[in-house]
Amino acid sequence: MDKKSLMELLDSLTLNEKIGQLSQVHPTVLFEDGIVTGVINDNTFSEEHIKNIGSVINIFGKDKIRAVQENHLKNSKIPLLFMADVIVGYDVIFPSGLSQGCTFDPELIKKLSRISATEMAADGVNVTFSPMVDLCRDARWGRVSESYGEDVLLNCKMAEAVVKGYQGDDLNALDTVSACVKHFAAYSAPVSGRDYNSVDMSERTLRQEYLRSYKAAVDAGSEMLMTSFNTIAGVPCTIDKRLVKDILRDEWGFKGVVITDHGSLGEQYSTGHGVASNSAEVAKFAIDATVDIEMAGDCLFKNIQNLIQEGKLSEDQIDAAVFRILELKNKLGLFEDPYKYIDNDLYEKIDRQQNLEVAKRAVVEGSVLLKNEDSALPINPESTKVAFIGPYLSCDVTSPVWSFHLKNRIVGPTMENYLKENYPDSDFTYSFGCPILDNGDWVSEFCQEDNDEYFKNEDRYIADAVEKAKNADIVVLALGEHYAYHGESKSRADIRLHKIQRDLVDKIYEANQNITAVIFSGRPLDITDISKKLKSILFVWEPGSMAAEGITDMLFGKELPSGKLSMCIPYCVGQMPIHYSELRTGRYAELGQKHSFGSRFVDAPIKPLYPFGYGLTYTTFEYSDLKIDKTTLTPDSEITVTVSVKNTGQRDAWEIVQMYTHDVVAYMVSRPMKELKDFKRVFIKAGETAQVSFKITEDMLRFYNYDMVYESESGEFEVFVGPDSETTDCVTFTLEK
Ligand code: NOJ
């Protein structure tokens, strides 16, 4: 449909029909059952309104989608949009966002979202509530697993890749869907890491660091954006005109659809944020902020008509919102054919095996080898007696939380089953060890654990594990955070492994000190104590459908883990929030070495256990000969920085080479000690040396200066190139403007 016809369609709608487009209903409004991904308030929709709604959330399956659309079109001339939380794949489940961040491979991540789009579009879903590009620096926050980590540039690159992967070149194609970047803004920085809690940060930090990845998604063409639940400086983001209208639309030029998060408009009264005394006020705030769709709430529906009659809102404002929604439906081709996504056999034709191979690559690229003393890994499965012990060995919940509601998701075998099937002749033993959770630990209503049998016979279980450990050359412990301990509303105050598993490490260590731990987790954990007892540590996060095969191949050296930390592994929870790109502070250099007034902890180091960008593999790399081709940069020139990276080990391998800069002096504004400016994943054969180059241009050095203008400043810069954020190898140049 061309723009004129779309305008005519808009003009032909009654006000009630227009208001309908602004509502997104939850499946339980339409049927008795339905997937629940948020609080269901007592929304009261009239039957008339339900006939006019514009979109639904989390309805899956061609048959169901067809039935809902058919029913809807009996009363409405505007097809429904089917939106869903397809965050880590649809049928083939990929590793969590955090693991994807650790790949430092935007091209691969683009492929993952391309695959997701293909699978979901072929099953009738038009919009995915992804990517989540919230910058994460506090591992207590339950949703760090969904993010790409702590770094601005990495988040921006991933945001762009994912949006392009979902949306492809043509939104009208049968294998593309609309992205919806979220959660605008700074949802990831709640005070004390507690989900939904207030966010309080300077405008400089907000703009310089937190807003950047949403903007990258917008610049990449994301058709939708979701507002966040939190307040910033006391103002709830979901109704904040300054954030949504002034920054997102007017400053950044976003023309797409803005949707609220689940029921968030209903959280503005005195029982919530307390910024409005009734829903009419909230509806006015939201529409003035240019919010278009209310997810799972009735605030807009109930009030817009009256607000227009009272002259508090204009019908033009509603028209603008409705037009944006119609435009999206039009781009997706729903007016030509509301059934185009389901009237085909693309879903049946998808090559899942091929997609699983890509998923496996993501497991390998996103897993981070933190420690590998005495080259304990890889293990030769032919000649080594291995005792596989631990709760994650037989646990089949190794996929990210946001896949649990996807009914056709591919779960994949447990590690134990996979090993037994594929290595039947190896000298392997298996023991449960202990449950994931201690007796009496909190479990969510969705994940009841039944470990009575274990706790009645605990001694027997432990004896079995210890015995098998004693008789093995090496022990592989499959440990991890319980899957109900991260995700939405799952913040933690203690980010260590569950005590029962820490105790298991102690007991096994007494029997055999050659221990490798494979750690499943939704967040960076505090593993400081147990790490001392482990020879190797392989962090695999939440690997998804290809967990067992990917991990086994890494353990046995068929594949080399090649991820680097996209969020540091802290030394202890008290360091939170922490990130490598902190400001130096006036007291940093001393660190308490010269006198006792350093910016430090008296009972813990200020550095994390493993820094951002860190990760090992089954070879070693040597960096040398860092060079810069000029020492002066001007706005119309560029500088090239080159480093030699030699693979000094026995295996061909990938290395992620990272370039950071430091702006030595800036007028009145302290600048981060290091900022990642570029990175490259390079494949280097054993014994060979790669020359890796990076370009630096003036625009890469801009920041929000004292007057909050985004520009660079003349002066000296340091450039660091190395294997992680603690690299000290540096050259300098001067920016002359
Ligand atoms: C709330 C979450 O914050 C958001 O990420 C998700 O997309 C919606 N619920 C819908 O399930």
Side-chain angles (χ1 to χ4, degrees), residues 672-729:
M673 288 187 278
K674 274 193 191 115
E675 293 173 288
L676 184 68
K677 293 295 176 182
D678 204 356
F679 53 86
K680 279 189 181 151
R681 222 176 204 280
V682 281
F683 188 71
I684 313 177
K685 291 200 164 152
E688 291 190 0
T689 301
Q691 297 297 317
V692 184
S693 297
F694 296 99
K695 301 248 178 268
I696 302 177
T697 46
E698 176 274 331
D699 56 314
M700 292 161 77
L701 308 173
R702 294 180 191 165
F703 66 102
Y704 284 89
N705 68 12
Y706 184 63
D707 298 316
M708 287 302 291
V709 179
Y710 190 63
E711 62 185 21
S712 62
E713 244 177 63
S714 294
E716 192 192 345
F717 287 81
E718 292 171 333
V719 189
F720 303 83
V721 181
D724 61 54
S725 60
E726 285 191 359
T727 177
T728 48
D729 216 2

Short mmCIF file of all heavy atoms in Angstrom, two decimals, residues 672-729:
data_model
loop_
_atom_site.label_atom_id
_atom_site.label_comp_id
_atom_site.label_asym_id
_atom_site.label_seq_id
_atom_site.Cartn_x
_atom_site.Cartn_y
_atom_site.Cartn_z
N PRO A 672 37.56 7.99 30.93
CA PRO A 672 37.84 6.61 31.36
C PRO A 672 39.30 6.21 31.17
O PRO A 672 39.97 6.69 30.25
CB PRO A 672 36.95 5.78 30.44
CG PRO A 672 35.87 6.70 30.00
CD PRO A 672 36.48 8.05 29.94
N MET A 673 39.74 5.30 32.02
CA MET A 673 41.13 4.84 31.93
C MET A 673 41.38 4.16 30.60
O MET A 673 42.47 4.21 30.06
CB MET A 673 41.43 3.88 33.07
CG MET A 673 41.53 4.59 34.40
SD MET A 673 42.07 3.49 35.69
CE MET A 673 40.54 2.70 36.13
N LYS A 674 40.36 3.47 30.12
CA LYS A 674 40.46 2.83 28.80
C LYS A 674 39.08 2.73 28.21
O LYS A 674 38.11 2.51 28.93
CB LYS A 674 40.99 1.40 28.94
CG LYS A 674 42.47 1.29 28.97
CD LYS A 674 42.91 -0.15 28.79
CE LYS A 674 44.37 -0.27 29.09
NZ LYS A 674 44.66 -1.10 30.25
N GLU A 675 39.00 2.87 26.89
CA GLU A 675 37.72 2.64 26.20
C GLU A 675 38.01 1.78 24.98
O GLU A 675 38.90 2.11 24.18
CB GLU A 675 37.13 3.96 25.71
CG GLU A 675 36.68 4.90 26.79
CD GLU A 675 36.28 6.24 26.19
OE1 GLU A 675 37.18 6.98 25.76
OE2 GLU A 675 35.08 6.53 26.13
N LEU A 676 37.25 0.70 24.83
CA LEU A 676 37.43 -0.16 23.65
C LEU A 676 37.01 0.63 22.41
O LEU A 676 35.90 1.18 22.36
CB LEU A 676 36.56 -1.42 23.79
CG LEU A 676 36.71 -2.47 22.70
CD1 LEU A 676 38.08 -3.13 22.75
CD2 LEU A 676 35.62 -3.55 22.82
N LYS A 677 37.88 0.67 21.42
CA LYS A 677 37.56 1.42 20.20
C LYS A 677 37.41 0.52 18.99
O LYS A 677 36.82 0.90 17.99
CB LYS A 677 38.64 2.47 19.92
CG LYS A 677 38.69 3.57 20.93
CD LYS A 677 37.42 4.41 20.92
CE LYS A 677 37.46 5.45 22.03
NZ LYS A 677 36.25 6.26 22.10
N ASP A 678 37.98 -0.66 19.06
CA ASP A 678 37.82 -1.60 17.95
C ASP A 678 38.34 -2.96 18.40
O ASP A 678 39.10 -3.05 19.38
CB ASP A 678 38.58 -1.12 16.70
CG ASP A 678 37.98 -1.70 15.41
OD1 ASP A 678 37.05 -2.53 15.50
OD2 ASP A 678 38.47 -1.33 14.32
N PHE A 679 37.93 -4.00 17.69
CA PHE A 679 38.45 -5.33 17.98
C PHE A 679 38.39 -6.15 16.70
O PHE A 679 37.63 -5.85 15.79
CB PHE A 679 37.65 -6.02 19.10
CG PHE A 679 36.16 -6.06 18.85
CD1 PHE A 679 35.59 -7.08 18.11
CD2 PHE A 679 35.33 -5.07 19.36
CE1 PHE A 679 34.22 -7.11 17.88
CE2 PHE A 679 33.96 -5.09 19.13
CZ PHE A 679 33.40 -6.12 18.39
N LYS A 680 39.22 -7.18 16.65
CA LYS A 680 39.22 -8.06 15.47
C LYS A 680 39.40 -9.48 15.93
O LYS A 680 40.23 -9.77 16.78
CB LYS A 680 40.36 -7.68 14.52
CG LYS A 680 40.01 -6.52 13.66
CD LYS A 680 41.03 -6.24 12.57
CE LYS A 680 40.56 -5.01 11.79
NZ LYS A 680 41.64 -4.26 11.22
N ARG A 681 38.61 -10.37 15.34
CA ARG A 681 38.76 -11.81 15.57
C ARG A 681 39.66 -12.32 14.47
O ARG A 681 39.30 -12.26 13.30
CB ARG A 681 37.38 -12.44 15.42
CG ARG A 681 37.08 -13.46 16.44
CD ARG A 681 35.67 -13.97 16.28
NE ARG A 681 35.27 -14.48 17.56
CZ ARG A 681 35.62 -15.68 18.01
NH1 ARG A 681 36.34 -16.50 17.27
NH2 ARG A 681 35.23 -16.07 19.21
N VAL A 682 40.85 -12.78 14.82
CA VAL A 682 41.76 -13.24 13.76
C VAL A 682 42.15 -14.69 13.98
O VAL A 682 42.34 -15.13 15.11
CB VAL A 682 43.05 -12.37 13.69
CG1 VAL A 682 42.81 -11.08 12.96
CG2 VAL A 682 43.59 -12.08 15.07
N PHE A 683 42.26 -15.41 12.87
CA PHE A 683 42.63 -16.82 12.93
C PHE A 683 44.11 -16.92 12.64
O PHE A 683 44.58 -16.48 11.59
CB PHE A 683 41.82 -17.61 11.90
CG PHE A 683 41.99 -19.09 12.04
CD1 PHE A 683 41.42 -19.75 13.12
CD2 PHE A 683 42.72 -19.82 11.12
CE1 PHE A 683 41.58 -21.12 13.28
CE2 PHE A 683 42.88 -21.19 11.26
CZ PHE A 683 42.31 -21.84 12.35
N ILE A 684 44.87 -17.47 13.57
CA ILE A 684 46.33 -17.52 13.38
C ILE A 684 46.80 -18.97 13.52
O ILE A 684 46.51 -19.63 14.52
CB ILE A 684 47.06 -16.62 14.42
CG1 ILE A 684 46.39 -15.23 14.49
CG2 ILE A 684 48.54 -16.49 14.07
CD1 ILE A 684 46.97 -14.30 15.52
N LYS A 685 47.49 -19.40 12.51
CA LYS A 685 47.99 -20.78 12.54
C LYS A 685 49.14 -20.92 13.52
O LYS A 685 49.89 -19.96 13.75
CB LYS A 685 48.46 -21.18 11.14
CG LYS A 685 47.32 -21.29 10.17
CD LYS A 685 47.75 -22.12 8.99
CE LYS A 685 46.52 -22.55 8.23
NZ LYS A 685 46.75 -22.76 6.84
N ALA A 686 49.30 -22.12 14.06
CA ALA A 686 50.37 -22.38 15.03
C ALA A 686 51.71 -21.95 14.44
O ALA A 686 52.01 -22.26 13.28
CB ALA A 686 50.39 -23.86 15.37
N GLY A 687 52.46 -21.21 15.20
CA GLY A 687 53.79 -20.77 14.76
C GLY A 687 53.78 -19.53 13.89
O GLY A 687 54.83 -18.92 13.66
N GLU A 688 52.61 -19.14 13.39
CA GLU A 688 52.58 -17.98 12.49
C GLU A 688 52.31 -16.67 13.24
O GLU A 688 51.82 -16.68 14.36
CB GLU A 688 51.52 -18.20 11.40
CG GLU A 688 51.96 -19.31 10.46
CD GLU A 688 51.10 -19.42 9.22
OE1 GLU A 688 50.14 -18.65 9.06
OE2 GLU A 688 51.42 -20.31 8.41
N THR A 689 52.61 -15.59 12.53
CA THR A 689 52.41 -14.26 13.12
C THR A 689 51.47 -13.46 12.24
O THR A 689 51.64 -13.42 11.02
CB THR A 689 53.76 -13.50 13.23
OG1 THR A 689 54.64 -14.29 14.04
CG2 THR A 689 53.59 -12.12 13.86
N ALA A 690 50.49 -12.85 12.86
CA ALA A 690 49.57 -12.01 12.08
C ALA A 690 49.87 -10.54 12.38
O ALA A 690 50.18 -10.20 13.53
CB ALA A 690 48.13 -12.34 12.45
N GLN A 691 49.78 -9.74 11.33
CA GLN A 691 49.88 -8.29 11.54
C GLN A 691 48.45 -7.79 11.64
O GLN A 691 47.67 -7.94 10.70
CB GLN A 691 50.56 -7.61 10.34
CG GLN A 691 51.99 -8.03 10.09
CD GLN A 691 52.90 -7.66 11.24
OE1 GLN A 691 52.78 -6.54 11.78
NE2 GLN A 691 53.76 -8.57 11.66
N VAL A 692 48.09 -7.22 12.76
CA VAL A 692 46.71 -6.78 12.94
C VAL A 692 46.69 -5.26 13.03
O VAL A 692 47.42 -4.66 13.83
CB VAL A 692 46.09 -7.41 14.21
CG1 VAL A 692 44.62 -7.02 14.34
CG2 VAL A 692 46.24 -8.92 14.18
N SER A 693 45.89 -4.64 12.16
CA SER A 693 45.87 -3.17 12.12
C SER A 693 44.50 -2.61 12.49
O SER A 693 43.47 -3.22 12.20
CB SER A 693 46.18 -2.68 10.70
OG SER A 693 47.44 -3.09 10.36
N PHE A 694 44.53 -1.45 13.07
CA PHE A 694 43.30 -0.72 13.39
C PHE A 694 43.46 0.72 12.92
O PHE A 694 44.56 1.27 12.96
CB PHE A 694 43.08 -0.69 14.90
CG PHE A 694 42.86 -2.03 15.52
CD1 PHE A 694 43.90 -2.70 16.16
CD2 PHE A 694 41.61 -2.63 15.49
CE1 PHE A 694 43.69 -3.94 16.76
CE2 PHE A 694 41.39 -3.87 16.08
CZ PHE A 694 42.44 -4.53 16.71
N LYS A 695 42.35 1.30 12.52
CA LYS A 695 42.36 2.72 12.13
C LYS A 695 41.78 3.54 13.28
O LYS A 695 40.84 3.11 13.93
CB LYS A 695 41.47 2.94 10.91
CG LYS A 695 41.89 2.12 9.71
CD LYS A 695 42.41 3.03 8.61
CE LYS A 695 42.88 2.27 7.40
NZ LYS A 695 44.32 1.94 7.44
N ILE A 696 42.31 4.73 13.42
CA ILE A 696 41.71 5.65 14.39
C ILE A 696 41.36 6.94 13.65
O ILE A 696 42.21 7.49 12.94
CB ILE A 696 42.67 5.99 15.54
CG1 ILE A 696 43.10 4.70 16.26
CG2 ILE A 696 42.01 6.94 16.55
CD1 ILE A 696 44.12 4.93 17.36
N THR A 697 40.13 7.37 13.82
CA THR A 697 39.74 8.65 13.23
C THR A 697 39.17 9.53 14.35
O THR A 697 38.81 9.03 15.42
CB THR A 697 38.66 8.45 12.14
OG1 THR A 697 37.67 7.56 12.63
CG2 THR A 697 39.26 7.87 10.87
N GLU A 698 39.08 10.79 14.05
CA GLU A 698 38.70 11.77 15.07
C GLU A 698 37.35 11.46 15.70
O GLU A 698 37.17 11.61 16.91
CB GLU A 698 38.72 13.17 14.41
CG GLU A 698 38.26 14.32 15.27
CD GLU A 698 36.74 14.52 15.25
OE1 GLU A 698 36.09 14.20 14.23
OE2 GLU A 698 36.21 15.00 16.26
N ASP A 699 36.39 10.99 14.88
CA ASP A 699 35.04 10.76 15.42
C ASP A 699 35.03 9.69 16.51
O ASP A 699 34.13 9.66 17.35
CB ASP A 699 34.07 10.39 14.29
CG ASP A 699 34.54 9.19 13.51
OD1 ASP A 699 35.74 9.15 13.16
OD2 ASP A 699 33.74 8.28 13.28
N MET A 700 36.04 8.83 16.52
CA MET A 700 36.09 7.77 17.54
C MET A 700 36.48 8.33 18.91
O MET A 700 36.40 7.63 19.92
CB MET A 700 37.12 6.70 17.13
CG MET A 700 36.71 5.90 15.92
SD MET A 700 38.13 5.08 15.15
CE MET A 700 38.38 3.71 16.24
N LEU A 701 36.90 9.59 18.93
CA LEU A 701 37.44 10.16 20.17
C LEU A 701 36.47 11.16 20.81
O LEU A 701 36.81 11.84 21.77
CB LEU A 701 38.78 10.84 19.88
CG LEU A 701 39.80 9.95 19.13
CD1 LEU A 701 41.02 10.74 18.73
CD2 LEU A 701 40.21 8.75 20.01
N ARG A 702 35.27 11.20 20.25
CA ARG A 702 34.32 12.20 20.77
C ARG A 702 33.71 11.76 22.10
O ARG A 702 33.59 10.57 22.38
CB ARG A 702 33.21 12.44 19.76
CG ARG A 702 33.75 13.08 18.49
CD ARG A 702 32.68 13.32 17.46
NE ARG A 702 33.32 13.67 16.19
CZ ARG A 702 32.71 13.68 15.03
NH1 ARG A 702 31.42 13.35 14.94
NH2 ARG A 702 33.36 14.01 13.94
N PHE A 703 33.31 12.73 22.87
CA PHE A 703 32.66 12.45 24.15
C PHE A 703 31.82 13.67 24.53
O PHE A 703 31.91 14.71 23.89
CB PHE A 703 33.71 12.14 25.23
CG PHE A 703 34.58 13.33 25.58
CD1 PHE A 703 34.36 14.06 26.75
CD2 PHE A 703 35.61 13.72 24.73
CE1 PHE A 703 35.14 15.17 27.06
CE2 PHE A 703 36.40 14.83 25.05
CZ PHE A 703 36.17 15.54 26.20
N TYR A 704 31.00 13.51 25.56
CA TYR A 704 30.19 14.65 26.02
C TYR A 704 31.07 15.52 26.90
O TYR A 704 31.43 15.14 28.01
CB TYR A 704 28.93 14.17 26.74
CG TYR A 704 27.90 13.68 25.74
CD1 TYR A 704 27.90 12.36 25.33
CD2 TYR A 704 27.01 14.58 25.15
CE1 TYR A 704 27.00 11.92 24.37
CE2 TYR A 704 26.11 14.15 24.18
CZ TYR A 704 26.12 12.83 23.80
OH TYR A 704 25.23 12.41 22.83
N ASN A 705 31.41 16.67 26.39
CA ASN A 705 32.37 17.52 27.09
C ASN A 705 31.69 18.31 28.21
O ASN A 705 30.52 18.09 28.53
CB ASN A 705 33.12 18.41 26.10
CG ASN A 705 32.21 19.46 25.46
OD1 ASN A 705 31.08 19.69 25.92
ND2 ASN A 705 32.69 20.09 24.41
N TYR A 706 32.43 19.21 28.77
CA TYR A 706 31.94 19.97 29.93
C TYR A 706 30.59 20.64 29.64
O TYR A 706 29.72 20.72 30.50
CB TYR A 706 33.00 21.01 30.31
CG TYR A 706 32.67 21.80 31.54
CD1 TYR A 706 32.55 21.16 32.78
CD2 TYR A 706 32.49 23.18 31.48
CE1 TYR A 706 32.25 21.89 33.92
CE2 TYR A 706 32.18 23.92 32.61
CZ TYR A 706 32.06 23.26 33.83
OH TYR A 706 31.76 23.97 34.96
N ASP A 707 30.43 21.11 28.41
CA ASP A 707 29.17 21.77 28.04
C ASP A 707 28.15 20.79 27.48
O ASP A 707 27.16 21.20 26.88
CB ASP A 707 29.45 22.86 26.99
CG ASP A 707 30.37 23.92 27.55
OD1 ASP A 707 30.14 24.34 28.70
OD2 ASP A 707 31.34 24.30 26.86
N MET A 708 28.41 19.52 27.63
CA MET A 708 27.55 18.44 27.13
C MET A 708 27.41 18.48 25.61
O MET A 708 26.38 18.11 25.05
CB MET A 708 26.16 18.48 27.81
CG MET A 708 26.18 18.01 29.24
SD MET A 708 26.82 16.32 29.43
CE MET A 708 25.53 15.40 28.66
N VAL A 709 28.47 18.92 24.96
CA VAL A 709 28.51 18.84 23.50
C VAL A 709 29.34 17.61 23.14
O VAL A 709 30.38 17.36 23.76
CB VAL A 709 29.15 20.11 22.89
CG1 VAL A 709 29.19 20.00 21.36
CG2 VAL A 709 28.38 21.35 23.32
N TYR A 710 28.85 16.84 22.16
CA TYR A 710 29.53 15.59 21.79
C TYR A 710 30.62 15.91 20.78
O TYR A 710 30.35 16.08 19.59
CB TYR A 710 28.50 14.63 21.20
CG TYR A 710 29.02 13.23 20.98
CD1 TYR A 710 29.43 12.45 22.06
CD2 TYR A 710 29.08 12.68 19.71
CE1 TYR A 710 29.90 11.17 21.87
CE2 TYR A 710 29.54 11.39 19.51
CZ TYR A 710 29.95 10.65 20.59
OH TYR A 710 30.42 9.37 20.40
N GLU A 711 31.84 16.07 21.25
CA GLU A 711 32.94 16.37 20.33
C GLU A 711 34.27 15.95 20.93
O GLU A 711 34.37 15.67 22.12
CB GLU A 711 32.94 17.86 19.94
CG GLU A 711 33.14 18.80 21.08
CD GLU A 711 33.03 20.26 20.66
OE1 GLU A 711 32.43 20.54 19.62
OE2 GLU A 711 33.55 21.10 21.40
N SER A 712 35.28 15.89 20.09
CA SER A 712 36.61 15.50 20.58
C SER A 712 37.37 16.75 21.00
O SER A 712 36.98 17.88 20.67
CB SER A 712 37.37 14.79 19.47
OG SER A 712 37.54 15.68 18.39
N GLU A 713 38.47 16.52 21.69
CA GLU A 713 39.29 17.64 22.14
C GLU A 713 40.73 17.41 21.75
O GLU A 713 41.23 16.29 21.87
CB GLU A 713 39.22 17.69 23.67
CG GLU A 713 38.58 18.94 24.22
CD GLU A 713 38.48 18.88 25.72
OE1 GLU A 713 39.52 18.83 26.39
OE2 GLU A 713 37.35 18.86 26.21
N SER A 714 41.37 18.44 21.29
CA SER A 714 42.80 18.32 20.94
C SER A 714 43.58 17.86 22.16
O SER A 714 43.23 18.16 23.29
CB SER A 714 43.35 19.68 20.52
OG SER A 714 42.74 20.08 19.33
N GLY A 715 44.67 17.14 21.89
CA GLY A 715 45.53 16.74 23.00
C GLY A 715 46.06 15.33 22.82
O GLY A 715 45.90 14.71 21.77
N GLU A 716 46.67 14.83 23.88
CA GLU A 716 47.36 13.55 23.80
C GLU A 716 46.42 12.37 24.08
O GLU A 716 45.55 12.45 24.96
CB GLU A 716 48.49 13.54 24.84
CG GLU A 716 49.45 12.39 24.64
CD GLU A 716 50.39 12.20 25.82
OE1 GLU A 716 50.49 13.12 26.67
OE2 GLU A 716 51.00 11.12 25.90
N PHE A 717 46.63 11.31 23.32
CA PHE A 717 45.86 10.06 23.52
C PHE A 717 46.82 8.89 23.62
O PHE A 717 47.85 8.86 22.93
CB PHE A 717 44.91 9.81 22.33
CG PHE A 717 43.73 10.73 22.32
CD1 PHE A 717 43.86 12.02 21.81
CD2 PHE A 717 42.51 10.33 22.84
CE1 PHE A 717 42.78 12.89 21.82
CE2 PHE A 717 41.43 11.18 22.84
CZ PHE A 717 41.56 12.48 22.34
N GLU A 718 46.47 7.93 24.45
CA GLU A 718 47.22 6.68 24.50
C GLU A 718 46.41 5.61 23.79
O GLU A 718 45.18 5.59 23.88
CB GLU A 718 47.42 6.26 25.96
CG GLU A 718 48.37 7.19 26.71
CD GLU A 718 48.40 6.89 28.20
OE1 GLU A 718 47.41 6.37 28.75
OE2 GLU A 718 49.43 7.20 28.81
N VAL A 719 47.10 4.74 23.08
CA VAL A 719 46.43 3.64 22.38
C VAL A 719 47.02 2.34 22.90
O VAL A 719 48.24 2.14 22.86
CB VAL A 719 46.68 3.68 20.87
CG1 VAL A 719 45.80 2.67 20.16
CG2 VAL A 719 46.49 5.06 20.30
N PHE A 720 46.17 1.46 23.36
CA PHE A 720 46.61 0.16 23.87
C PHE A 720 46.08 -0.92 22.93
O PHE A 720 44.91 -0.89 22.56
CB PHE A 720 46.01 -0.11 25.25
CG PHE A 720 46.32 0.95 26.27
CD1 PHE A 720 45.57 2.12 26.35
CD2 PHE A 720 47.37 0.77 27.16
CE1 PHE A 720 45.85 3.09 27.30
CE2 PHE A 720 47.66 1.73 28.11
CZ PHE A 720 46.90 2.90 28.19
N VAL A 721 46.92 -1.86 22.58
CA VAL A 721 46.43 -3.01 21.81
C VAL A 721 46.91 -4.26 22.53
O VAL A 721 48.07 -4.37 22.91
CB VAL A 721 46.95 -3.00 20.36
CG1 VAL A 721 46.40 -4.20 19.60
CG2 VAL A 721 46.55 -1.70 19.65
N GLY A 722 45.98 -5.19 22.72
CA GLY A 722 46.37 -6.40 23.44
C GLY A 722 45.25 -7.40 23.53
O GLY A 722 44.22 -7.26 22.86
N PRO A 723 45.46 -8.43 24.37
CA PRO A 723 44.51 -9.55 24.43
C PRO A 723 43.33 -9.30 25.36
O PRO A 723 42.38 -10.09 25.37
CB PRO A 723 45.37 -10.70 24.96
CG PRO A 723 46.44 -10.02 25.76
CD PRO A 723 46.68 -8.69 25.14
N ASP A 724 43.38 -8.25 26.18
CA ASP A 724 42.25 -7.97 27.10
C ASP A 724 42.35 -6.54 27.60
O ASP A 724 43.29 -5.81 27.23
CB ASP A 724 42.23 -8.98 28.25
CG ASP A 724 43.50 -8.94 29.09
OD1 ASP A 724 43.84 -7.85 29.57
OD2 ASP A 724 44.15 -9.99 29.24
N SER A 725 41.44 -6.15 28.46
CA SER A 725 41.37 -4.74 28.86
C SER A 725 42.48 -4.35 29.83
O SER A 725 42.62 -3.18 30.17
CB SER A 725 40.01 -4.45 29.49
OG SER A 725 39.83 -5.28 30.62
N GLU A 726 43.27 -5.31 30.30
CA GLU A 726 44.37 -4.93 31.20
C GLU A 726 45.70 -4.77 30.48
O GLU A 726 46.73 -4.62 31.10
CB GLU A 726 44.46 -5.93 32.35
CG GLU A 726 43.32 -5.65 33.31
CD GLU A 726 43.39 -6.36 34.64
OE1 GLU A 726 44.34 -7.11 34.87
OE2 GLU A 726 42.46 -6.13 35.42
N THR A 727 45.63 -4.81 29.17
CA THR A 727 46.87 -4.66 28.41
C THR A 727 47.51 -3.29 28.70
O THR A 727 46.83 -2.27 28.83
CB THR A 727 46.60 -4.82 26.90
OG1 THR A 727 47.80 -4.60 26.21
CG2 THR A 727 45.56 -3.84 26.40
N THR A 728 48.85 -3.31 28.80
CA THR A 728 49.54 -2.06 29.13
C THR A 728 50.41 -1.57 27.97
O THR A 728 50.99 -0.49 28.03
CB THR A 728 50.45 -2.26 30.36
OG1 THR A 728 51.21 -3.45 30.15
CG2 THR A 728 49.64 -2.40 31.63
N ASP A 729 50.50 -2.38 26.93
CA ASP A 729 51.33 -2.02 25.79
C ASP A 729 50.71 -0.83 25.07
O ASP A 729 49.57 -0.90 24.62
CB ASP A 729 51.34 -3.24 24.84
CG ASP A 729 52.68 -3.39 24.19
OD1 ASP A 729 53.57 -2.59 24.51
OD2 ASP A 729 52.82 -4.30 23.35
#
